[in-house]
Amino acid sequence: SVLTDLSVGYRRRGELQDAHDTALSALSLLRDAGVGDGIAESFALNALGVAKITLGKYAEAEPLMQESVQVASQAAPGSAAHATSVYNLAGLYNFLGRFSEAIPLVQQAIDIWLEIDPNAPRIGDMFDGMGILQLELGQYDAAEDSLQKGLEARRGSFGNDHDLVGLSLQNLGELSYTRGNPAEARARLAESIAISQRAEGDVEWRHLADQYELLAISSAQVDRFEDAYDAVTKAKALRAEFTPDDHPDAVLAEHAEAMVMLEDGRFDEAIARLQRVLAYRQNGTSDAGLDLHEALVRAYVLAGQYPLADDLCRSVAEEFDLQALAHHRFVGSLVERCADLRQRL
């Protein structure tokens, strides 16, 4: 419906509450009127679910997006609407750290699109999404392959100067950073930012903020601190402009700043920021804050605050089922840091 499309436009411009309220109105009108073939209802459910994700309301988003899949699979099995609803549910599970649940959904969406049109623009989204999940699971070679397929598909569909091409390069940059290659990460991220800045059409501000944050961290790792702090400043400006103060993502740039400060030897300042970010981002996800816990343990150790580091390690062991979360890419380094700390103490 027109209202559903309007909601998507609001979301892309960062007008998150308007996006939510418009999607809710679209769904209510469809149901009150009792019209449509099911596909319109599926899209409206999906738009409302995505709007709730952007507002950090993950628990409210899940039943809406599950219903979207159910409606689409009944109204038009094997259709683009079916694939889209399945893929977006996978995206929610990615946010929630439920990667093993997300991967088969992404594969289902890829299979549907390959049947519909192997050259469809959405194929690039699907491969990129698969690569992100594989990255989270530590499957780095598979992630590189999927992300490269996503990049090639998006370039084939949109040309080089498109926001989604920049997003693919951003994800490849994050993969390079995670694999311990900050120079390669920095090059990929610089290219992604350049593409996003000259991209045709609307640019998702979140993509650009993420790119600046990753660029900041990778720049710090190669001692390019002026570039790193400049990137943090730009990311902070974007977050401040578009993110509601009570949204869990509001302090992501501060997280990046803390990681830069760790590399710069400003341990006490980094610790203060990481503590604030960790407290702010407790949002009920199954892996909430594991990356932050790992960074904060590292910061305490670097600052010589071993008792605080030990207390945090014990708290993490009590709060999280680390064995069940062994697939998470930060768990291995967190467990290793805590084990080294116990030997030191």
Side-chain angles (χ1 to χ4, degrees):
S1 72
V2 173
L3 284 176
T4 302
D5 292 340
L6 183 61
S7 171
V8 173
Y10 280 135
R11 175 169 53 82
R12 287 184 63 86
R13 293 194 297 274
E15 299 170 24
L16 305 183
Q17 191 61 52
D18 287 339
H20 174 276
D21 295 346
T22 306
L24 182 59
S25 296
L27 182 60
S28 297
L29 284 171
L30 282 169
R31 288 181 164 171
D32 290 344
V35 298
D37 55 4
I39 293 179
E41 183 181 357
S42 174
F43 276 131
L45 283 161
N46 189 66
L48 182 57
V50 172
K52 287 186 180 294
I53 291 173
T54 63
L55 291 171
K57 299 178 180 179
Y58 304 124
E60 295 178 26
E62 184 172 4
L64 291 166
M65 302 185 83
Q66 289 173 334
E67 187 178 357
S68 175
V69 171
Q70 182 180 9
V71 170
S73 66
Q74 291 174 347
S79 66
H82 185 194
T84 298
S85 61
V86 167
Y87 181 72
N88 286 338
L89 178 59
L92 172 62
Y93 289 157
N94 179 33
F95 273 114
L96 297 175
R98 293 157 59 180
F99 309 126
S100 59
E101 294 176 72
I103 280 185
L105 291 173
V106 174
Q107 188 60 59
Q108 182 184 355
I110 289 173
D111 292 342
I112 292 172
W113 271 111
L114 288 174
E115 286 292 324
I116 297 171
D117 179 4
N119 297 313
R122 290 304 305 273
I123 291 289
D125 298 344
M126 308 298 171
F127 279 121
D128 215 58
M130 181 67 82
I132 292 168
L133 291 167
Q134 291 163 332
L135 166 60
E136 294 293 349
L137 290 170
Q139 301 170 4
Y140 299 140
D141 290 341
E144 179 83 30
D145 181 64
S146 295
L147 291 172
Q148 288 288 356
K149 287 180 180 177
L151 175 61
E152 291 168 11
R154 283 171 164 172
R155 278 178 168 156
S157 296
F158 305 115
N160 198 54
D161 290 346
H162 193 281
D163 181 38
L164 292 177
V165 174
L167 180 59
S168 286
L169 284 163
Q170 170 194 323
N171 292 329
L172 282 163
E174 184 170 4
L175 174 61
S176 298
Y177 162 73
T178 303
R179 297 182 92 165
N181 192 340
E184 180 181 75
R186 192 170 182 274
R188 285 173 160 176
L189 291 162
E191 185 179 359
S192 75
I193 289 170
I195 289 172
S196 294
Q197 288 175 332
R198 64 175 186 265
E200 299 174 358
D202 293 334
V203 174
E204 284 273 9
W205 66 267
R206 292 178 197 80
H207 297 171
L208 194 54
D210 290 342
Q211 288 158 15
Y212 278 127
E213 287 154 6
L214 288 166
L215 179 64
I217 297 169
S218 56
S219 294
Q221 290 189 333
V222 293
D223 296 332
R224 297 289 295 268
F225 291 110
E226 184 175 349
D227 292 345
Y229 287 117
D230 179 64
V232 165
T233 298
K234 291 174 179 175
K236 279 185 169 183
L238 286 166
R239 296 283 178 199
E241 181 177 358
F242 292 109
T243 309
D245 290 341
D246 60 349
H247 192 282
D249 288 353
V251 290
L252 282 178
E254 199 166 339
H255 182 191
E257 184 177 40
M259 301 304 290
V260 172
M261 288 175 168
L262 277 183
E263 297 294 332
D264 200 16
R266 297 166 61 181
F267 303 137
D268 290 343
E269 293 169 90
I271 287 169
R273 281 163 175 77
L274 287 170
Q275 288 172 332
R276 168 177 145 75
V277 174
L278 182 59
Y280 203 83
R281 281 186 57 80
Q282 296 300 323
N283 54 17
T285 65
S286 62
D287 66 336
L290 280 174
D291 55 336
L292 291 163
H293 284 97
E294 193 272 341
L296 191 52
V297 168
R298 177 188 169 209
Y300 283 144
V301 170
L302 288 171
Q305 299 182 20
Y306 303 128
L308 288 176
D310 186 52
D311 287 345
L312 183 56
C313 285
R314 293 177 187 277
S315 174
V316 169
E318 292 174 0
E319 182 179 354
F320 297 99
D321 184 350
L322 294 179
Q323 185 173 358
L325 292 170
H327 59 271
H328 194 288
R329 59 176 162 146
F330 293 102
V331 167
S333 58
L334 176 59
V335 170
E336 184 177 336
R337 287 190 192 282
C338 291
D340 289 344
L341 178 64
R342 283 194 297 272
Q343 289 183 349
R344 182 175 303 191
L345 293 174

